[in-house]
Amino acid sequence: MILIVDDTPENLISLKKVLEKHDFEVDTASSGEEALRKVLRNEYVLIILDVQMPGMDGFEVAEAISGYSKAKETAIIFLSAANTETRFITKGYSSGGLDYITKPVDMSVLLLKVKTFYRIYEQSRKLIEIQTALLEEIEYRKQAEYKKDEFISIASHELKTPLTSVKGYVQLLERSIDKGDVDTVKKHLHKAQTQLEKLNNLIADLLDISKIESGKLKFNKQNFFIGDLLKNIVEVMAQSFPDYKITVSGAAEHCIYGDEMRIEQVIINFLTNAIKYSPGTSEVLINVREENEQIYVGVRDYGIGIAPEQQKNLFEKFYRVEETALHFQGLGIGLYISAEIIRRHGGIVGVESTLGEGSEFYFEIPLNAPSEIE
């Protein structure tokens, strides 16, 4: 928008008509004081400013405008019927003006200058947008690099922990075998097996990340009942976590077309997280329902919950909530893999959580998604 400042009404009207005829949006002010008030409220690409005005003259107005951070980039063209000497023109430039036109105004020259300033403004705006985008990209890459380095450090630690445990249990097994202590041998074998299973899960997650990055995560889709899958999952989880009561609420009547093993992977991830981040509790609820040709599955826990500002990042790669990362092990990739699996089924993932009261991680997928979503 252009602001014309002139104390002569006929000058305002004539300039406004010419500029509006050429599709410029125009605002007017009849004094320097009114111009300053408008500059504070609105944004202008260009100000056409008369020099001789009662009260504040054009030079004073320009100097005041240059002090506003909001208007620092606004171009100013001075108009003057007098004071055309070099020293006055110089004063105009030093006051913040970018051009100086004498009256009577040659409208064709003024229009050419206005169009030039608009073109410069558009180019400057695009350059600023490009610069902003580049800075955001640089910051994103820095954060990604930091997360990657942090992930490598965490992954090394997480992989080393079960390996160290297995090595310790093997040493204990050697001693127990020499003593013929069968019960102790069985106990150490069970613990070693638990650590090997943990190691296997970590490696499986790392392989899935690699496949996602390379576009090689494959799916074997077929029709299956979610109810049957949930029943099997609950039975397996009950053996691993006998102290937890896992209950299924709701039902779905129709088959899902999808990769049953991958959907199972997502639900187990939600369940293990629910148990992991719910110390001191003993119940997890699985909500399932069918509506609008969609299947909803949500895993509800009554644990520590998640702060609202952290919820939006939970499904990002390598993201770990800082407060819980100190107390709970994990690579920070399980939810990212789960989100990718659901996305490739044409669905969505999400979380509803209240800090200190628990969370419900959920996904929704269509009953029929015949083609894989890339």
Side-chain angles (χ1 to χ4, degrees), residues 42-202:
N42 308 308
E43 290 187 9
Y44 299 101
V45 175
L46 176 65
I47 299 174
I48 299 173
L49 182 57
D50 186 30
V51 173
Q52 285 89 21
M53 292 186 295
M56 294 182 73
D57 66 25
F59 297 139
E60 291 172 324
V61 173
E63 287 174 358
I65 288 172
S66 66
Y68 299 156
S69 59
K70 182 179 177 181
K72 276 186 181 296
E73 304 302 321
T74 303
I76 296 175
I77 296 178
F78 284 111
L79 294 181
S80 179
N83 294 339
T84 56
E85 297 175 22
T86 303
R87 63 191 179 92
F88 289 107
I89 295 174
T90 302
K91 185 178 180 182
Y93 288 122
S94 64
S95 299
L98 293 180
D99 212 333
Y100 201 104
I101 297 178
T102 58
K103 294 180 180 179
V105 177
D106 185 330
M107 288 300 182
S108 61
V109 172
L110 178 63
L111 279 170
L112 184 62
K113 289 179 182 290
V114 169
K115 289 176 181 178
T116 299
F117 279 119
Y118 255 86
R119 187 165 60 250
I120 292 170
Y121 168 77
E122 289 296 332
Q123 290 172 347
S124 297
R125 192 175 66 174
K126 285 179 182 176
L127 283 172
I128 290 169
E129 288 175 357
I130 291 169
Q131 183 184 41
T132 302
L134 283 172
L135 289 172
E136 288 176 353
E137 178 67 17
I138 290 168
E139 184 60 28
Y140 172 79
R141 289 182 180 275
K142 280 170 63 180
Q143 289 295 323
E145 193 65 26
Y146 170 77
K147 284 185 179 180
K148 185 174 124 183
D149 291 343
E150 184 183 39
F151 169 73
I152 290 171
S153 174
I154 293 167
S156 300
H157 173 74
E158 293 286 337
L159 290 168
K160 188 176 180 181
T161 300
L163 277 173
T164 303
S165 297
V166 170
K167 183 179 178 181
Y169 288 129
V170 168
Q171 290 173 345
L172 291 172
L173 277 169
E174 288 177 342
R175 297 174 192 171
S176 299
I177 289 171
D178 291 339
K179 295 178 181 177
D181 188 346
V182 177
D183 291 337
T184 303
V185 167
K186 288 180 179 179
K187 183 176 72 174
H188 291 327
L189 275 173
H190 176 72
K191 289 183 177 180
Q193 187 176 7
T194 301
Q195 294 300 318
L196 284 171
E197 185 63 28
K198 183 186 290 186
L199 185 61
N200 181 65
N201 291 335
L202 289 169

Side-chain angles (χ1 to χ4, degrees), residues 229-240 246:
L229 175 61
L230 290 174
K231 182 180 177 182
N232 292 335
I233 289 173
V234 170
E235 288 177 359
V236 171
M237 294 296 289
Q239 293 176 13
S240 301
I246 301 174

Side-chain angles (χ1 to χ4, degrees), residues 32-44:
E33 292 82 3
E34 184 185 1
L36 291 179
R37 288 195 296 271
K38 289 200 169 187
V39 168
L40 284 172
R41 292 196 305 267
N42 308 308
E43 290 187 9
Y44 299 101

